[in-house]
Amino acid sequence: CQDGYDPEGLDCIAKPACSALCTDCKIGSRTGLPKKCLACQEGYIPEGLDCVPKPPPLDCSVACTDCKRSPSTGDAKKCRACMIGYRPRGIGCVGCANNCEQCTAERCLVCSHNYRLKGLACTKFQPAKPNLCHEECHKCKVVDGEPAKCTRCTDGWKTQGKTCVRCPEGCRTCSKVRCLACAEGYVYKNRVCVPQAD
C-alpha cells in the first residue's frame, strides 16, 4: 500500500491519524500509531484523535455586576456582586429574601416598606406604642399630634426635609451627604461603599 495506508484483505485503508487541526499528537511507543491529540490550533480543543471547536466561556448571569473569571479558560468562577434586589449564588444571582430590597449573599441590608431588619431577616414593623412617625423614621418631632419632622432615621435611611430617604446602595448608615458605615460585604472607597472583592 501507499505511505499512510495499511493493507486489509484485498484493500488498503488509511492509517489512524490525528486531525489536521491537531498541533501535538501522541504516538504509541509500540505501534507507532497516533493514540490521541494533545493540543489543537487556537479555538479548538482535543477530543480523541480529532479537534473540536472550543465552547464559548461559561458566563455569569445577567443580574451579576462583578463576575470573577478563571485566568486560564475565561470561564466564570463566581459572581461577587449583583444588581439591587439580587444576591450572588455561584456564578449567578438569586432574588433577595422576602421583604428585602438590598442584600448580600449572607444577609439583608435594606428591608421593604413596613419591614424592619431584625438579626439577618426582615420582619413586619409593629410599633409597641402608637408611632406618629412614618416607618423609616426612628425619632420625630410631633407638633399638635402630627409628625412635623423626622430627626433620626432607621439604618439604611437618611433624613431629607421632613422625611427619610434611602441611603445609597451598600450603605448601612449615612448622613445627608455621604455614607458613614458600609453594609456587610461592602468596603469604603472614594467616599462610597463598593462591593468587597474576594
Side-chain angles (χ1 to χ4, degrees):
C1 292
Q2 293 178 352
D3 194 28
Y5 289 83
D6 282 330
E8 186 172 289
L10 298 174
D11 257 342
C12 292
I13 59 164
K15 288 183 178 180
C18 283
S19 159
L21 296 170
C22 184
T23 57
D24 185 9
C25 187
K26 183 176 182 176
I27 306 294
S29 59
R30 291 187 183 154
T31 63
L33 298 174
K35 288 181 92 176
K36 71 177 183 176
C37 182
L38 300 175
C40 298
Q41 292 179 11
E42 186 70 33
Y44 292 86
I45 57 172
E47 188 175 281
L49 293 173
D50 208 357
C51 292
V52 295
K54 186 177 182 179
L58 189 59
D59 209 357
C60 285
S61 73
V62 175
C64 183
T65 57
D66 184 9
C67 184
K68 183 178 181 178
R69 298 189 172 280
S70 164
S72 59
T73 65
D75 282 348
K77 288 180 77 177
K78 179 181 183 183
C79 181
R80 294 186 281 208
C82 298
M83 296 186 316
I84 292 176
Y86 294 89
R87 59 189 167 93
R89 182 186 289 164
I91 61 168
C93 297
V94 294
C96 292
N98 288 342
N99 307 310
C100 179
E101 291 187 9
Q102 287 183 32
C103 58
T104 65
E106 295 81 31
R107 64 185 293 255
C108 185
L109 303 174
V110 177
C111 296
S112 303
H113 185 68
N114 288 332
Y115 286 81
R116 291 277 187 269
L117 193 59
K118 190 171 187 178
L120 300 176
C122 296
T123 57
K124 183 87 171 145
F125 177 69
Q126 296 174 334
K129 58 182 181 182
N131 184 1
L132 298 175
C133 301
H134 58 86
E135 287 81 14
E136 293 78 23
C137 187
H138 186 69
K139 187 176 183 183
C140 66
K141 284 186 178 177
V142 178
V143 177
D144 296 328
E146 293 291 318
K149 179 181 179 181
C150 188
T151 56
R152 185 172 167 223
C153 299
T154 58
D155 280 357
W157 299 79
K158 63 181 178 178
T159 57
Q160 183 174 312
K162 295 181 178 184
T163 62
C164 296
V165 295
R166 287 204 187 282
C167 291
E169 180 185 358
C171 280
R172 187 169 47 85
T173 57
C174 61
S175 69
K176 291 179 183 178
V177 293
R178 68 184 181 95
C179 195
L180 300 174
C182 295
E184 189 176 322
Y186 288 80
V187 292
Y188 198 72
K189 186 175 184 182
N190 299 329
R191 308 182 108 195
V192 293
C193 292
V194 295
Q196 186 173 5
D198 287 341

